[in-house]
Amino acid sequence: MRDEIEKLVAELSQKPGILVLPPNGVPRPKSEDALPADLQRFYELCAGMSLFPDSDYPARIVGPDEFVQTNHLLLPDQEEEALQDPSMERSWHWYAVVSDEKGDYIS
């Protein structure tokens, strides 16, 4: 898997319209959430990517400092206690990985 991620990042760095950012640390999710090995390797190689910034639909793979739980982005006005509702338990393990710069995220 490590070789595949390295190859992917290297290939994307050569593509027009893609900016690969230099490494800037690895995200540190909450202790109960482990960073998958492929994502760990991605952030060891780069601090995210800007994908087609001049297009109608730009996207950005977020940097390690923006790698946060999706609930905090989508429900910013909710009290912490409300967000801990058992019906939302599963979504507390989702992290925003891609932003479209318009307020939408991919987890």
Side-chain angles (χ1 to χ4, degrees), residues 15-19 49-60 99-102:
K15 301 279 184 187
I18 297 178
L19 174 63
M49 295 182 184
S50 178
L51 308 171
F52 314 108
D54 298 324
S55 74
D56 291 338
Y57 301 100
R60 189 170 48 81
S99 168
D100 73 351
E101 304 298 340
K102 297 176 184 176

Side-chain angles (χ1 to χ4, degrees), residues 36-77:
D38 55 350
L39 203 51
Q40 167 91 24
R41 185 62 185 142
F42 174 83
Y43 282 109
E44 289 171 355
L45 296 168
C46 67
M49 295 182 184
S50 178
L51 308 171
F52 314 108
D54 298 324
S55 74
D56 291 338
Y57 301 100
R60 189 170 48 81
I61 300 174
V62 301
D65 57 329
E66 301 170 283
F67 189 85
V68 298
Q69 290 176 317
T70 306
N71 283 353
H72 288 294
L73 296 170
L74 301 179
L75 306 167
D77 298 329

